[in-house]
Amino acid sequence: MLAKGTETGEGRLGTIIWLLILAGVVYAAWELIPVYFNNYNFADKVVELARAPKYSHPDDRIESELIKAAQENHLENYIGPKTCKINTMEVRRVITCEYERTVEVLPGIRHKFTFKPQGDQPLI
């Protein structure tokens, strides 16, 4: 049996602190991964639409497809007709969208992320 004077309790406090840090990292990942995943999927769609044929996909149709892609990726609150610029030239199409999204990374800590998905592809 150990004497009472040799126990300090430091091991438990250190464990609790590391568990709190781990919980904060898991919570932040839970909040941030969907934000980046949605942006990645939307950026992929932007590149796909920039590659679409010029005559079967005029700028109006590209714009409606962008809004549809934003809705599919839960970005309708951030992306609209005014946030995306479509520039179709003779040999290529450039689509640039820029939006900001504020996320609560940890309780009480908010961060504003700026995303700028861009597609610059030659036309088929």
Side-chain angles (χ1 to χ4, degrees), residues 55-121:
Y55 298 106
S56 65
H57 289 73
D59 288 353
D60 294 339
R61 182 172 175 191
I62 295 291
E63 184 177 313
S64 66
E65 291 288 330
L66 283 172
I67 292 173
K68 181 180 172 186
Q71 291 171 346
E72 290 172 356
N73 290 296
H74 310 289
L75 298 172
E76 61 270 3
N77 295 333
Y78 312 104
I79 296 176
K82 295 180 181 181
T83 57
C84 294
K85 296 177 185 173
I86 303 167
N87 186 9
T88 303
M89 296 167 263
E90 288 298 319
V91 294
R92 69 183 216 195
R93 178 181 287 141
V94 179
I95 301 173
T96 305
C97 298
E98 186 171 359
Y99 67 98
E100 293 180 343
R101 189 169 178 179
T102 302
V103 179
E104 187 172 21
V105 179
L106 291 172
I109 300 174
R110 296 184 159 274
H111 184 72
K112 186 184 291 186
F113 293 93
T114 301
F115 295 104
K116 192 174 183 179
Q118 181 176 357
D120 185 356
Q121 298 289 315

Side-chain angles (χ1 to χ4, degrees), residues 38-51 117-118:
N38 291 340
N39 179 64
Y40 177 79
N41 284 337
F42 183 73
D44 187 46
K45 188 66 172 180
V46 167
V47 171
E48 179 184 326
L49 290 172
R51 195 179 298 133
Q118 181 176 357

